[in-house]
Amino acid sequence: MKKHSKPFALLLCAALTLPPALAMTGCGTRSNSDTKGLAIDGTDFGITIEGTNVTEESVFTSNDIIYYADMEAYESGNPYGEGEEQERHTAEEAAAHTVINIVEPGTYTISGAMEKGQIRVDLGEDAETNPEAVVTLVLDGLDMTCEVAPAILFLNTYECDNGWTAETAQSAVDTSAAGANLVIADGSINNINGGHVAKIFEDAEGEEKLWKQDGGIYSYMSMNVSGGQAGDGILNLKADNEGLDTELHLTINGGIINIYSDNDGINTNEDGVSVTTINGGDLHILAGLGTEGDGIDSNGWLVINGGTVIASANPAADAGLDSDMGSYVNGGTVVAMGSTMDWAESESEQVTMNLQFAEYQEFGDVIQVRSSDDDVPVFGFDPDADEVLSKYPRNYQGLILSSPEFAQDETYHVYMGSSQQSFTGTDVMMGPGGFGGGMGGFGGDHGPFDENGELPEGFEPGNLPEDFDPSQMPQDGQRPQGPEGFEPGEMPEGFEPGKLPEGMTPPDGQRPEKPEGMEPPEGMERPEAGSIMEIGEAKTDFYMQDRVNAFSGVHDAE
């Protein structure tokens, strides 16, 4: 790990009187390039600071970390919160943590090690509407562990989307002016181990939320995460709940980010508003190491414009990619594994393949996509070679693949290990061959079942991997039973697939017609709009009729 003693040697202009275990040096000048350093006795932890109007009080330590206390109720009798037994901590555990408080705008380069600590950025309650309340944390060889709360917490900074409403929210959002920023310095390796804070109520009637910080790195405001110029800095984040977490938007622009989380790897949690945007970087996410967890979970939109996204979700009932308002794959390389999938929207700009397998797939099998005409490899991924996912191999049944090498109107062959794959059905929404994630999907429609509610031949429900722990299966959220006498897949009398009921006009936003002359490969008939391919007719030609293409009942070809 790098040592950063030189900056402090250059800044020994004045000594300040500060709390025990803290030494700070500062030149006391004021300019647009003010700098100073901070060191904590007994550690090699250090901060150098650059910013406007930097004062000696910009950074200080305290022992007032926000945590979930070991209690059931306040002295008033009001309930304390929703935390489970394992989420509680004693006052002694909390007091053992040192909080590094950052209270002024600026750029803070942080290095060194701290076993029990937190970096807390709090520019005051008025910061949310102040465009100058911007803090950038440059992680340059930082090892930090926080056992009772997030290791890095942005509490109050400028919110670049402070005028948001649920009615005007959309999938495109610009967070470049956000007040919360992380930069992974080139050539650095940063290891962050973060806890979380379960929901704590205010000491009043009504159980109003006082605190809730779900991620190992947590921001109450929109946050940007970027790499340096070379983009080769590494952030290893281990979290006992969620990994990267924001209350509003999150934009990832670069860096190498490896996430190991007990719950969701990445989460943005404002319902119907939040946007998770990935423009670049190299993300490897091993999520759901507890009882549940998606790879990426946006309570609003998920937009992937570039970079590499490799995500593995809990195999019980979670998705590699998940969003409430829609997922768009416009670029980059995507491999997302889970038991179910939140399919990409049909308006995505890059060709994407959604595969739902008839049974769980072995983790170690190399995934390969080959051109159908000359059998040339177009795309490949070896899970065993992935340094993050291979640490905890898990099988999967749903798979999203997207690559710039995929092309519309092309046909591919898919291999799992040495076995060529075939499929028995495609789900078609608003037109043939494609799939609109906003209308449901395998996970929300009939899963591996056909349109009559029957399982494909050879499929065995509950045929899980040998090492799968049944106790991890969710107890809540089971599929509800239909009304008495209801038969799965049974349609009302007179119902014709692909036709709207009499008097109903089609909604706006229908899939546009294909360009004139565009036809499927020879031997493959184009299904009628709104139809579902006949189940049981196994095919090995995976035809990319649209930008987003879904295939069900995928299994080894005979």
Side-chain angles (χ1 to χ4, degrees), residues 5-336:
S5 57
K6 186 175 180 180
F8 303 113
L10 295 175
L11 296 170
L12 296 177
C13 299
L16 306 177
T17 302
L18 292 169
L22 175 67
M24 178 181 271
T25 58
C27 294
T29 58
R30 300 289 180 270
S31 71
N32 287 339
S33 60
D34 287 347
T35 64
K36 69 177 179 179
L38 176 148
I40 297 179
D41 292 345
T43 75
D44 64 351
F45 184 88
I47 298 178
T48 58
I49 308 164
E50 296 180 0
T52 59
N53 299 319
V54 173
T55 70
E56 288 80 2
E57 291 76 30
S58 295
V59 182
F60 62 90
T61 64
S62 63
N63 292 96
D64 59 347
I65 197 166
I66 299 166
Y67 72 103
Y68 196 100
D70 187 12
M71 56 191 294
E72 293 280 354
Y74 291 101
E75 291 183 2
S76 62
N78 292 320
Y80 178 68
E82 296 181 347
E84 302 291 337
E85 183 68 29
Q86 67 272 16
E87 295 175 303
R88 300 180 182 183
H89 303 281
T90 66
E92 291 74 19
E93 289 174 322
H97 287 71
T98 299
V99 179
I100 309 299
N101 296 274
I102 295 175
V103 296
E104 299 232 5
T107 298
Y108 299 75
T109 300
I110 309 172
S111 64
M114 182 175 290
E115 290 185 359
K116 294 184 179 182
Q118 180 189 69
I119 299 170
R120 182 170 68 199
V121 178
D122 185 359
L123 306 190
E125 294 182 358
D126 295 333
E128 181 178 0
T129 57
N130 179 5
E132 296 184 357
V134 177
V135 167
T136 299
L137 302 181
V138 181
L139 308 184
D140 193 10
L142 174 64
D143 283 1
M144 173 170 276
T145 296
C146 186
E147 298 175 352
V148 301
I152 297 176
L153 174 64
F154 287 94
L155 191 58
N156 284 301
T157 62
Y158 175 57
E159 175 50 67
C160 57
D161 191 15
N162 55 47
W164 68 265
T165 65
E167 291 72 27
T168 60
Q170 56 184 357
S171 62
V173 61
D174 180 7
T175 64
S176 58
N181 300 277
L182 283 180
V183 175
I184 308 166
D186 285 339
S188 69
I189 299 177
N190 305 274
N191 300 303
I192 308 296
N193 299 316
H196 71 286
V197 178
K199 182 184 285 187
I200 301 173
F201 300 137
E202 294 181 358
D203 186 6
E205 295 182 2
E207 299 186 354
E208 293 294 327
K209 181 178 73 174
L210 177 63
W211 300 113
K212 188 173 186 285
Q213 301 161 4
D214 289 330
I217 296 178
Y218 194 85
S219 179
Y220 280 86
M221 312 297 176
S222 295
M223 178 171 65
N224 297 313
V225 180
S226 305
Q229 199 166 25
D232 59 359
I234 299 173
L235 169 60
N236 295 315
L237 173 59
K238 295 182 180 179
D240 70 1
N241 190 46
E242 295 173 350
L244 278 175
D245 204 322
T246 74
E247 298 251 326
L248 197 53
H249 307 309
L250 172 66
T251 300
I252 297 176
N253 297 309
I256 300 171
I257 302 172
N258 302 322
I259 299 176
Y260 309 81
S261 62
D262 279 11
N263 205 308
D264 299 333
I266 292 176
N267 185 275
T268 47
N269 54 37
E270 185 61 48
D271 292 345
V273 177
S274 286
V275 181
T276 300
T277 306
I278 301 172
N279 294 320
D282 193 354
L283 279 73
H284 297 256
I285 302 170
L286 183 57
L289 294 175
T291 58
E292 62 180 358
D294 299 310
I296 301 176
D297 182 4
S298 174
N299 289 4
W301 288 269
L302 169 60
V303 181
I304 301 175
N305 296 318
T308 297
V309 178
I310 310 295
S312 171
N314 188 291
D318 290 292
L321 306 179
D322 181 35
S323 66
D324 290 351
M325 302 298 289
S327 299
Y328 296 85
V329 180
N330 301 322
T333 299
V334 177
V335 178

Side-chain angles (χ1 to χ4, degrees), residues 200-542:
I200 301 173
F201 300 137
E202 294 181 358
D203 186 6
E205 295 182 2
E207 299 186 354
E208 293 294 327
K209 181 178 73 174
L210 177 63
W211 300 113
K212 188 173 186 285
Q213 301 161 4
D214 289 330
I217 296 178
Y218 194 85
S219 179
Y220 280 86
M221 312 297 176
S222 295
M223 178 171 65
N224 297 313
V225 180
S226 305
Q229 199 166 25
D232 59 359
I234 299 173
L235 169 60
N236 295 315
L237 173 59
K238 295 182 180 179
D240 70 1
N241 190 46
E242 295 173 350
L244 278 175
D245 204 322
T246 74
E247 298 251 326
L248 197 53
H249 307 309
L250 172 66
T251 300
I252 297 176
N253 297 309
I256 300 171
I257 302 172
N258 302 322
I259 299 176
Y260 309 81
S261 62
D262 279 11
N263 205 308
D264 299 333
I266 292 176
N267 185 275
T268 47
N269 54 37
E270 185 61 48
D271 292 345
V273 177
S274 286
V275 181
T276 300
T277 306
I278 301 172
N279 294 320
D282 193 354
L283 279 73
H284 297 256
I285 302 170
L286 183 57
L289 294 175
T291 58
E292 62 180 358
D294 299 310
I296 301 176
D297 182 4
S298 174
N299 289 4
W301 288 269
L302 169 60
V303 181
I304 301 175
N305 296 318
T308 297
V309 178
I310 310 295
S312 171
N314 188 291
D318 290 292
L321 306 179
D322 181 35
S323 66
D324 290 351
M325 302 298 289
S327 299
Y328 296 85
V329 180
N330 301 322
T333 299
V334 177
V335 178
M337 305 171 174
S339 61
T340 60
M341 285 292 132
D342 180 49
W343 311 118
E345 294 291 324
S346 58
E347 292 84 359
S348 296
E349 296 178 8
Q350 181 168 283
V351 173
T352 300
M353 192 181 302
N354 300 321
L355 306 175
Q356 188 75 29
F357 293 90
E359 59 185 16
Y360 277 85
Q361 300 299 297
E362 293 291 337
F363 171 83
D365 287 345
V366 174
I367 302 166
Q368 193 170 115
V369 178
R370 294 172 171 264
S371 61
S372 62
D373 50 358
D374 53 12
D375 202 38
V376 172
V378 175
F379 174 86
F381 176 71
D382 183 358
D384 279 336
D386 188 285
E387 293 185 5
V388 175
L389 271 61
S390 62
K391 283 185 170 59
Y392 192 73
R394 297 180 301 186
N395 298 346
Y396 56 92
Q397 195 168 6
L399 176 65
I400 293 178
L401 299 176
S402 188
S403 167
E405 302 303 318
F406 294 167
Q408 193 170 345
D409 202 30
E410 291 289 339
T411 300
Y412 300 106
H413 291 161
V414 176
Y415 289 82
M416 304 299 294
S418 60
S419 301
Q420 184 176 4
Q421 301 298 295
S422 61
F423 63 93
T424 56
T426 60
D427 273 28
V428 182
M429 292 289 187
M430 300 173 66
F435 190 81
M439 296 187 66
F442 296 112
D445 189 9
H446 56 66
F449 298 89
D450 65 19
E451 75 272 30
N452 295 315
E454 300 293 331
L455 290 164
E457 185 178 353
F459 182 87
E460 297 182 18
N463 186 17
L464 299 174
E466 293 181 1
D467 59 349
F468 185 78
D469 183 4
S471 66
Q472 294 188 3
M473 293 296 289
Q475 301 302 311
D476 299 325
Q478 300 294 333
R479 182 185 296 273
Q481 297 294 322
E484 185 175 354
F486 173 81
E487 293 293 334
E490 185 176 304
M491 298 298 181
E493 185 176 352
F495 177 83
E496 296 184 33
K499 291 187 178 182
L500 295 170
E502 186 176 353
M504 180 181 292
T505 58
D508 294 334
Q510 297 287 356
R511 183 183 302 277
E513 294 293 325
K514 286 291 176 194
E516 186 175 351
M518 180 180 287
E519 295 296 334
E522 185 177 352
M524 178 180 289
E525 296 184 3
R526 179 187 297 272
E528 295 182 3
S531 68
I532 298 178
M533 178 180 288
E534 181 181 354
I535 302 299
E537 183 183 354
K539 295 181 179 293
T540 58
D541 287 339
F542 290 73

